[in-house]
Coordinates of all heavy atoms in Angstrom, one line a residue:
A8 N -20.7 31.1 23.1 CA -20.1 30.7 21.8 C -18.8 31.4 21.5 O -17.8 30.9 21.1 CB -21.1 30.8 20.7
N9 N -18.8 32.8 21.7 CA -17.6 33.6 21.4 C -16.5 33.2 22.3 O -15.3 33.1 21.9 CB -18.0 35.0 21.5 CG -18.9 35.5 20.4 OD1 -18.9 35.0 19.3 ND2 -19.7 36.5 20.8
E10 N -16.8 32.9 23.6 CA -15.7 32.5 24.5 C -15.2 31.2 24.1 O -13.9 31.0 24.1 CB -16.3 32.5 25.9 CG -15.2 32.0 26.9 CD -15.8 31.6 28.3 OE1 -17.0 32.0 28.5 OE2 -15.1 31.0 29.1
A11 N -16.0 30.3 23.7 CA -15.6 28.9 23.4 C -14.7 29.0 22.1 O -13.6 28.4 22.1 CB -16.8 28.0 23.1
I12 N -15.1 29.7 21.1 CA -14.3 29.8 19.9 C -12.9 30.5 20.2 O -11.9 30.1 19.7 CB -15.1 30.6 18.8 CG1 -16.3 29.8 18.4 CG2 -14.2 31.0 17.7 CD1 -17.2 30.6 17.5
H13 N -12.9 31.5 21.1 CA -11.7 32.2 21.5 C -10.7 31.2 22.2 O -9.5 31.2 21.9 CB -12.0 33.3 22.4 CG -10.8 34.1 23.0 ND1 -10.0 34.9 22.2 CD2 -10.3 34.0 24.2 CE1 -9.1 35.3 22.9 NE2 -9.2 34.9 24.2
R14 N -11.3 30.4 23.1 CA -10.4 29.4 23.7 C -9.9 28.4 22.8 O -8.7 28.0 22.9 CB -11.3 28.7 24.8 CG -11.5 29.6 26.0 CD -12.6 29.0 27.0 NE -12.2 27.7 27.5 CZ -13.0 26.9 28.3 NH1 -14.2 27.4 28.6 NH2 -12.5 25.8 28.7
L15 N -10.7 27.9 21.9 CA -10.2 26.9 20.9 C -9.1 27.5 20.0 O -8.1 26.9 19.7 CB -11.4 26.4 20.0 CG -12.4 25.5 20.7 CD1 -13.7 25.4 19.9 CD2 -11.8 24.2 21.0
R16 N -9.4 28.8 19.6 CA -8.4 29.4 18.7 C -7.0 29.6 19.4 O -6.0 29.4 18.9 CB -8.9 30.8 18.2 CG -8.0 31.5 17.2 CD -8.6 32.7 16.7 NE -9.7 32.5 15.8 CZ -10.9 32.8 16.1 NH1 -11.2 33.4 17.2 NH2 -11.9 32.5 15.2
N17 N -7.1 30.0 20.7 CA -5.9 30.2 21.5 C -5.1 28.9 21.7 O -3.9 28.9 21.9 CB -6.2 30.9 22.8 CG -6.5 32.4 22.7 OD1 -6.2 32.9 21.6 ND2 -6.9 33.0 23.7
A18 N -5.9 27.8 21.7 CA -5.3 26.5 21.9 C -4.6 25.9 20.6 O -4.0 24.9 20.7 CB -6.3 25.5 22.4
G19 N -4.8 26.7 19.5 CA -4.2 26.2 18.3 C -5.1 25.3 17.5 O -4.6 24.7 16.5
V20 N -6.3 25.1 17.8 CA -7.2 24.2 17.1 C -7.4 24.8 15.7 O -7.8 26.0 15.6 CB -8.6 24.1 17.8 CG1 -9.6 23.3 17.0 CG2 -8.4 23.4 19.2
P21 N -7.2 24.0 14.6 CA -7.2 24.6 13.3 C -8.6 25.2 12.8 O -8.6 26.1 12.0 CB -6.8 23.4 12.4 CG -6.2 22.4 13.3 CD -6.8 22.6 14.7
S22 N -9.7 24.6 13.3 CA -11.0 25.1 12.8 C -11.9 25.3 14.0 O -12.8 24.6 14.3 CB -11.6 24.0 11.9 OG -11.6 22.8 12.5
P23 N -11.6 26.4 14.8 CA -12.4 26.6 16.0 C -13.9 26.8 15.9 O -14.7 26.3 16.6 CB -11.7 27.8 16.6 CG -11.0 28.5 15.5 CD -10.6 27.4 14.6
E24 N -14.3 27.5 14.8 CA -15.7 27.8 14.6 C -16.4 26.5 14.3 O -17.5 26.2 14.9 CB -15.9 28.8 13.5 CG -15.5 30.2 13.8 CD -14.0 30.4 13.5 OE1 -13.3 29.4 13.0 OE2 -13.5 31.5 13.7
A25 N -15.9 25.7 13.4 CA -16.5 24.4 13.0 C -16.6 23.5 14.2 O -17.6 22.8 14.4 CB -15.8 23.8 11.8
D26 N -15.4 23.4 14.9 CA -15.4 22.5 16.1 C -16.4 22.8 17.1 O -17.1 22.0 17.7 CB -14.0 22.4 16.7 CG -13.0 21.6 15.8 OD1 -13.3 21.5 14.6 OD2 -12.1 21.0 16.4
W27 N -16.5 24.1 17.4 CA -17.5 24.5 18.4 C -18.9 24.2 17.9 O -19.8 23.8 18.7 CB -17.4 26.0 18.8 CG -18.5 26.4 19.7 CD1 -19.5 27.3 19.5 CD2 -18.7 25.9 21.0 NE1 -20.3 27.4 20.6 CE2 -19.9 26.5 21.5 CE3 -18.1 24.9 21.8 CZ2 -20.4 26.2 22.8 CZ3 -18.6 24.6 23.1 CH2 -19.8 25.3 23.5
R28 N -19.2 24.4 16.6 CA -20.5 24.1 16.1 C -20.8 22.6 16.3 O -22.0 22.3 16.7 CB -20.6 24.5 14.6 CG -21.9 24.3 14.0 CD -22.0 24.9 12.6 NE -21.1 24.4 11.7 CZ -20.0 25.1 11.2 NH1 -19.8 26.3 11.7 NH2 -19.2 24.5 10.4
W29 N -19.9 21.7 16.1 CA -20.1 20.3 16.3 C -20.4 20.0 17.8 O -21.3 19.3 18.1 CB -18.9 19.5 15.9 CG -18.8 19.2 14.4 CD1 -18.1 19.9 13.5 CD2 -19.5 18.2 13.7 NE1 -18.3 19.4 12.2 CE2 -19.2 18.3 12.3 CE3 -20.4 17.2 14.1 CZ2 -19.7 17.5 11.3 CZ3 -21.0 16.4 13.1 CH2 -20.6 16.5 11.7
I30 N -19.6 20.7 18.7 CA -19.8 20.4 20.1 C -21.2 21.0 20.6 O -21.9 20.3 21.3 CB -18.7 21.1 20.9 CG1 -17.3 20.3 20.6 CG2 -19.0 21.1 22.4 CD1 -16.1 21.0 21.2
S31 N -21.5 22.2 20.1 CA -22.7 22.8 20.6 C -24.0 22.2 20.1 O -25.0 22.3 20.7 CB -22.7 24.3 20.2 OG -22.7 24.5 18.8
Q32 N -23.8 21.4 18.9 CA -25.0 20.8 18.4 C -25.1 19.3 18.7 O -25.9 18.6 18.1 CB -25.0 21.0 16.8 CG -25.2 22.4 16.4 CD -25.0 22.6 14.9 OE1 -24.8 21.7 14.2 NE2 -25.2 23.8 14.4
A33 N -24.3 18.9 19.7 CA -24.2 17.4 20.0 C -25.2 17.0 21.1 O -25.2 15.9 21.5 CB -22.8 17.1 20.4
G34 N -26.0 18.0 21.5 CA -27.0 17.7 22.5 C -26.5 17.5 23.9 O -27.0 16.7 24.7
L35 N -25.3 18.1 24.2 CA -24.7 18.0 25.5 C -25.2 19.0 26.5 O -25.6 20.1 26.2 CB -23.2 18.2 25.4 CG -22.4 17.3 24.4 CD1 -21.0 17.7 24.3 CD2 -22.6 15.8 24.7
R36 N -25.2 18.5 27.8 CA -25.6 19.5 28.9 C -24.4 20.5 29.0 O -23.3 20.3 28.5 CB -25.7 18.7 30.2 CG -26.8 17.7 30.2 CD -27.0 17.2 31.7 NE -25.8 16.8 32.3 CZ -25.3 15.6 32.3 NH1 -25.9 14.6 31.7 NH2 -24.1 15.3 32.9
A37 N -24.7 21.6 29.8 CA -23.7 22.6 29.9 C -22.4 22.1 30.5 O -21.3 22.5 30.0 CB -24.3 23.7 30.8
D38 N -22.5 21.2 31.5 CA -21.2 20.7 32.1 C -20.5 19.8 31.1 O -19.3 19.8 31.0 CB -21.5 20.0 33.4 CG -22.5 18.8 33.2 OD1 -23.4 18.9 32.4 OD2 -22.3 17.8 33.9
E39 N -21.3 19.1 30.3 CA -20.7 18.2 29.2 C -20.0 19.0 28.1 O -19.0 18.7 27.6 CB -21.7 17.3 28.7 CG -22.2 16.2 29.7 CD -23.4 15.4 29.2 OE1 -24.2 16.0 28.4 OE2 -23.5 14.3 29.5
Q40 N -20.7 20.1 27.8 CA -20.1 21.0 26.8 C -18.8 21.6 27.3 O -17.8 21.6 26.5 CB -21.1 22.2 26.5 CG -22.2 21.9 25.5 CD -22.8 23.2 25.1 OE1 -22.5 24.3 25.4 NE2 -23.9 23.0 24.2
E41 N -18.7 22.0 28.5 CA -17.5 22.5 29.1 C -16.4 21.5 29.1 O -15.2 21.7 28.8 CB -17.7 23.0 30.5 CG -16.5 23.5 31.2 CD -15.8 24.6 30.5 OE1 -16.5 25.5 29.9 OE2 -14.5 24.7 30.5
E42 N -16.7 20.2 29.4 CA -15.8 19.1 29.4 C -15.3 18.9 28.0 O -14.1 18.6 27.8 CB -16.4 17.9 30.1 CG -15.5 16.7 30.0 CD -14.2 16.8 30.8 OE1 -14.0 17.8 31.6 OE2 -13.3 15.9 30.6
A43 N -16.2 18.9 27.1 CA -15.8 18.7 25.7 C -14.9 19.8 25.2 O -13.9 19.5 24.5 CB -17.1 18.6 24.8

Side-chain angles (χ1 to χ4, degrees):
N9 291 331
E10 177 192 349
I12 292 169
H13 177 73
R14 288 168 59 184
L15 290 166
R16 184 176 291 114
N17 283 350
V20 172
S22 52
E24 293 87 357
D26 283 28
W27 175 245
R28 184 166 60 250
W29 279 100
I30 291 171
S31 65
Q32 294 177 358
L35 304 175
R36 301 188 309 267
D38 60 325
E39 293 173 327
Q40 279 192 0
E41 176 59 38
E42 175 63 10

